[in-house]
């Protein structure tokens, strides 16, 4: 006579065999996952740095001012285009993040919005937008009146960003950023930062960068932003209000389509390793040049090995377009690097220059100077 | 999991935190995918769990338990996601397990049968048979009593078996 446990054991053994042999049940891990995790940790690191920075507000403000002066000196066109922004440190922060934005702004690829709305003694102003098909950077400011003398820091607690039809692109609710889906395209906030409340005018300035999941997607031309509450990090206090504004993207920004070039394969030697790579596609956007590079022979490297590329783009006159993100370490060897854009330049030729490759493992890494130059177009 | 790496992560080293998380990312994603059946949502959930783990890593007392601790955060994030979508109730009562009524006679593929299971049940079966977790580990990860875990896994195995037999009868 069989017991309940016996039956369980028999059933389990049969089903286990069935399940393990079923080919459809293998769950493929998307290549993008590692990139997404690294990106999230990168943002968290930045956020932690910003939080630390808030502790020494005065010192940071001075440094920010100095940095901005440097940017102004280096780039008068940039300073002119954004001279209306009330507190400049936020843009310094944005530029530290991304030289591609600076290049786009220098070339007039920014739109002033300057729309304000006041609620609960706080004026919200949407200041500027820098956008192309790939991403959108919004700068904004919050100005406090005398009814909130004690507040030193603020945070957007609950807000939504929608298209003209009211469909959600992204936002924030219950401490979580929201990711909306319109058609097949998902939108999310990649970077977000808000300065402390500064100066006699009691203004905090912030920016957020919105990106789309689909490389071929475009941002909707009409954007509505609605904030329903702000939070005070020190006390946990929530300030309710209604701050709503909208804008329509300037056709100059909305119609700036990426320039697309086909990819190509190439090989290079990193010490004893011969690496076979393929640039899958190249897209030149106003704010960045994006491409994906696939590593074709991962089986030739030991298991558990990662690859770290040091690279940039260069035109026929030797002008360098830097890699925007930090170097990306991937165990698949596939990367999606972004570079400062050459969109506004009249370069006839563009080269990918891989300066060095580091083959890493948990026990350490070895760096090889490669100096491989691949003509992209 | 390298304890030195986890300890350094606990001391605030973000690179070590990344290394520790990336070492368990595949399992975390697989479990999230089992719950949500959508790659984008599964990736979002894992990334949200990364954020929570980053904020709370100092609270992890035993570095040996990093993987269990992190997977548990992922599972809680999955439950939160499902709750928000209101697709499934996350009640743990015995009657909540089992296949959902669907067109069983026309959709008798094992994959489909699994997709009709309650997300919690689906992920428990996946954890047991693909990721090799013990029933005790699954009980810890899902925060369910061991007896409930056993009942749900065996109950669902039985249901799957019956449905597959039904399928064979149709062929």
């Amino acid at each position: 006579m069989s017991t309940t446990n016996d039956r369980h054991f028999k059933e389990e053994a049969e089903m286990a065999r069935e399940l393990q042999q079923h080919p459809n049940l293998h769950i493929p891990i998307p290549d993008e996952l590692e990139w997404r995790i690294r990106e999230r940790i990168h943002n968290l690191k930045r956020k932690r740095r910003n939080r630390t920075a808030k502790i020494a507000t005065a010192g940071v403000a001075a440094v920010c001012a100095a940095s901005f002066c440097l940017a102004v000196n280096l780039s008068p066109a940039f300073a002119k285009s954004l001279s209306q922004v009330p507190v400049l440190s936020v843009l310094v922060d944005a530029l530290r993040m991304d030289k591609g934005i600076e290049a786009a702004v220098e070339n007039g690829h920014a739109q002033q919005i300057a729309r304000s709305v006041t609620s609960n003694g706080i004026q919200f102003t949407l200041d500027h937008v820098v956008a192309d098909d790939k991403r959108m950077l919004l700068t904004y400011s919050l100005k406090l009146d005398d009814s909130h003398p004690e507040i030193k820091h603020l945070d957007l607690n609950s807000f939504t960003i929608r298209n003209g039809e009211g469909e959600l692109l992204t936002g924030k609710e219950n401490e979580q950023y929201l990711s909306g889906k319109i058609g097949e395209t998902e939108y999310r906030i990649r970077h977000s930062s808000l300065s402390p409340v500064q100066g006699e005018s009691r203004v905090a300035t912030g920016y957020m960068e919105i990106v789309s999941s689909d490389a071929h997607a475009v941002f909707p031309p009409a954007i509505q932003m609605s904030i329903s509450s702000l939070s005070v990090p020190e006390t946990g206090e929530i300030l309710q209000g209604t701050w709503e504004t909208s804008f329509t993207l300037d056709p100059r920004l909305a119609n700036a389509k990426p320039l697309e070039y086909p990819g190509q394969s190439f090989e290079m030697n990193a010490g004893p390793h011969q690496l076979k790579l393929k640039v899958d596609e190249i897209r030149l956007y106003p704010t960045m040049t994006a491409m994906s590079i696939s590593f074709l022979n991962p089986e030739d490297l030991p298991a558990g090995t990662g690859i770290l590329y040091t690279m940039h783009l260069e035109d026929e006159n030797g002008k360098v377009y830097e890699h925007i993100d930090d170097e990306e370490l991937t165990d698949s060897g596939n990367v999606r690097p972004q570079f400062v854009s050459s969109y506004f330049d009249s370069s006839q030729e563009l080269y990918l220059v891989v300066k060095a490759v580091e083959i890493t493992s948990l026990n350490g890494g070895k760096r090889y100077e490669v100096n491989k130059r691949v003509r992209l177009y | 999991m390298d304890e030195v790496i986890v300890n350094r992560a606990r001391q605030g080293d973000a690179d070590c935190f990344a290394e520790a998380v990336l070492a368990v990312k595949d399992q975390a994603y697989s479990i999230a995918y089992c719950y949500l059946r959508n790659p984008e949502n599964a990736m979002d959930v894992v990334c949200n769990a990364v954020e929570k783990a980053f904020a709370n890593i100092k609270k992890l007392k035993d570095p040996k338990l990093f993987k269990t601790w992190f997977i548990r955060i992922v599972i809680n994030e999955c439950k939160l996601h499902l709750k928000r979508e209101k697709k499934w109730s996350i009640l743990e009562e015995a009657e909540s397990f089992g296949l959902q009524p669907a067109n069983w006679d026309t959709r008798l593929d094992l994959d489909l049968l699994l997709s009709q299971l309650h997300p919690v049940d689906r992920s428990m079966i996946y954890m047991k048979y693909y990721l090799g977790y013990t029933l005790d580990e699954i009980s810890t990860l899902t925060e369910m009593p061991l007896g409930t875990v056993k009942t749900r896994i065996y109950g669902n195995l039985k249901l799957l078996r019956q449905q597959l037999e039904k399928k064979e009868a149709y062929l």
Side-chain angles (χ1 to χ4, degrees):
Chain A
M1 188 179 146
S2 67
T3 64
T4 308
N5 279 343
D6 287 342
R7 279 204 309 279
H8 281 163
F9 181 77
K10 202 176 159 200
E11 279 172 9
E12 185 185 2
E14 282 173 10
M15 271 318 298
R17 213 169 22 250
E18 191 92 41
L19 286 164
Q20 280 156 359
Q21 285 168 0
H22 200 285
N24 291 346
L25 297 183
H26 169 67
I27 297 178
I29 310 295
D31 286 344
E32 201 191 339
L33 177 65
E34 178 173 333
W35 173 76
R36 292 268 296 269
I37 291 174
R38 285 190 180 281
E39 188 188 40
R40 185 68 71 100
I41 295 171
H42 179 71
N43 286 348
L44 292 167
K45 270 163 73 179
R46 282 177 50 81
K47 213 167 154 186
R48 188 159 69 185
R49 276 204 300 272
N50 288 346
R51 204 166 44 233
T52 313
K54 281 176 185 171
I55 296 165
T57 309
V60 168
V63 171
C64 285
S67 307
F68 196 79
C69 287
L70 188 65
V72 170
N73 289 339
L74 288 174
S75 174
F78 164 70
K80 193 181 167 196
S81 11
L82 287 177
S83 57
Q84 291 86 356
V85 175
V87 179
L88 303 175
S89 58
V90 62
L91 286 159
V92 176
D93 204 6
L95 293 178
R96 256 195 226 120
M97 171 188 86
D98 192 337
K99 290 277 177 198
I101 296 287
E102 180 180 357
V105 171
E106 274 183 5
N107 285 284
H109 201 76
Q111 177 183 346
Q112 188 181 0
I113 302 169
R115 292 200 175 164
S116 298
V117 54
T118 302
S119 179
N120 198 354
I122 298 170
Q123 183 190 57
F124 168 77
T125 305
L126 199 51
D127 292 308
H128 285 90
V129 57
V130 182
D132 55 28
D133 285 357
K134 189 78 179 165
R135 58 185 178 162
M136 178 181 281
L137 185 105
L138 297 170
T139 68
Y140 62 93
S141 50
L142 293 163
K143 187 176 189 316
L144 282 70
D145 71 8
D146 297 339
S147 60
H148 303 289
E150 74 293 350
I151 293 178
K152 295 190 178 77
H153 298 109
L154 273 173
D155 209 355
L156 299 186
N157 185 59
S158 181
F159 71 90
T160 57
I161 295 176
R162 298 176 187 275
N163 68 4
E165 284 74 48
E167 294 171 294
L168 181 76
L169 270 80
T170 183
K172 191 178 171 190
E173 199 180 292
N174 299 329
E175 300 286 309
Q176 299 277 337
Y177 283 108
L178 308 173
S179 181
K181 200 167 184 183
I182 299 177
E184 288 303 304
T185 306
E186 205 162 318
Y187 297 89
R188 65 193 168 85
I189 291 174
R190 180 157 76 168
H191 293 283
S192 178
S193 175
L194 182 59
S195 78
V197 177
Q198 294 172 332
E200 299 227 335
S201 55
R202 304 204 28 83
V203 174
T205 51
Y207 71 86
M208 63 181 76
E209 184 194 8
I210 306 164
V211 292
S212 65
S213 61
D214 180 358
H216 297 279
V218 294
F219 276 95
I223 300 286
Q224 308 173 27
M225 184 168 181
S226 172
I227 305 168
S228 56
S229 62
L230 304 168
S231 63
V232 184
E234 287 96 342
T235 60
E237 186 188 356
I238 303 291
L239 305 170
Q240 304 288 348
T242 306
W243 297 270
E244 288 179 350
T245 188
S246 61
F247 67 91
T248 303
L249 266 184
D250 188 317
R252 276 184 312 115
L253 275 63
N255 296 333
K257 297 294 163 209
L259 308 170
E260 296 183 32
Y261 297 91
Q264 59 174 294
S265 302
F266 64 98
E267 292 182 10
M268 61 188 183
N269 292 318
H273 310 287
Q274 192 187 31
L275 309 178
K276 295 175 184 169
L277 298 137
K278 182 170 187 291
V279 178
D280 294 318
E281 54 191 0
I282 307 143
R283 287 204 182 86
L284 265 66
Y285 296 89
T287 65
M288 73 160 106
T289 297
M291 68 178 71
S292 64
I293 302 176
S294 301
F295 177 39
L296 302 178
N297 59 329
E299 67 282 359
D300 292 347
L301 288 181
T305 306
I307 306 181
L308 204 57
Y309 303 93
T310 304
M311 55 191 165
H312 64 259
L313 299 179
E314 214 171 289
D315 72 6
E316 72 276 18
N317 300 316
K319 181 172 178 184
V320 170
Y321 302 95
E322 289 166 13
H323 191 184
I324 295 173
D325 282 343
D326 290 343
E327 284 180 310
E328 292 254 322
L329 174 65
T330 65
D331 52 13
S332 64
N334 299 335
V335 284
R336 293 183 184 181
Q338 298 170 358
F339 301 89
V340 173
S341 177
S342 55
Y343 188 89
F344 296 102
D345 294 344
S346 51
S347 50
Q348 299 299 307
E349 298 166 16
L350 192 67
Y351 297 85
L352 171 69
V353 180
V354 184
K355 293 287 288 178
V357 169
E358 190 175 338
I359 308 289
T360 65
S361 72
L362 282 179
N363 306 322
K366 190 152 174 57
R367 185 180 164 90
Y368 302 99
E369 296 303 320
V370 175
N371 290 317
K372 176 75 181 178
R373 198 174 154 93
V374 183
R375 184 170 174 179
L376 299 173
Y377 66 79
Chain B
M1 177 63 61
D2 189 336
E3 282 179 49
V4 179
I5 298 288
V6 177
N7 268 330
R8 280 171 61 187
R10 284 163 72 204
Q11 288 154 14
D13 186 329
D15 293 335
C16 285
F17 175 78
E19 200 173 309
V21 167
L22 290 173
V24 297
K25 76 174 189 337
D26 289 5
Q27 287 207 14
Y29 173 84
S30 302
I31 291 171
Y33 184 87
C34 267
Y35 268 83
L36 309 173
R37 306 287 287 182
N38 174 308
E40 273 303 316
N41 291 347
M43 273 195 283
D44 278 346
V45 155
V46 172
C47 287
N48 290 344
V50 166
E51 192 159 332
K52 291 221 164 127
F54 189 83
N56 293 295
I57 181 82
K58 283 182 184 162
K59 293 180 193 163
L60 173 67
K61 292 198 175 83
D62 184 351
K64 282 200 239 44
L65 296 178
F66 176 82
K67 183 173 140 189
T68 308
W69 176 74
F70 181 71
I71 299 282
R72 208 158 152 169
I73 298 175
V74 170
I75 290 175
N76 283 335
E77 283 299 304
C78 288
K79 289 180 180 174
L80 205 66
H81 184 98
L82 290 167
K83 211 170 173 178
R84 276 201 209 105
E85 284 197 333
K86 294 189 176 66
K87 276 189 182 167
W88 297 87
S89 89
I90 307 299
L91 298 173
E92 309 294 356
E93 284 89 346
E95 62 268 26
S96 75
F97 80 77
L99 296 171
Q100 301 302 304
N103 300 323
W104 288 1
D105 48 354
T106 54
R107 301 174 67 196
L108 288 170
D109 179 73
L110 180 56
D111 194 17
L112 280 175
L113 286 171
L114 277 169
S115 75
Q116 291 164 14
L117 284 178
H118 189 289
V120 174
D121 294 312
R122 189 168 53 231
S123 62
M124 287 199 299
I125 286 180
Y126 190 86
M127 281 191 259
K128 175 92 177 80
Y129 296 108
Y130 275 81
L131 301 177
Y133 283 105
T134 63
L135 291 170
D136 275 327
E137 284 170 328
I138 296 172
S139 160
T140 308
L141 288 168
T142 55
E143 297 176 76
M144 261 187 246
L146 183 60
T148 312
V149 170
K150 279 183 186 170
T151 312
R152 292 181 73 152
I153 289 183
Y154 290 140
N156 280 301
L157 281 178
K158 200 174 170 186
L159 270 169
L160 287 171
R161 162 58 55 201
Q162 284 168 357
Q163 293 309 313
L164 283 170
E165 281 167 357
K166 211 169 166 185
K167 174 189 174 186
E168 281 157 15
Y170 273 81
L171 292 173

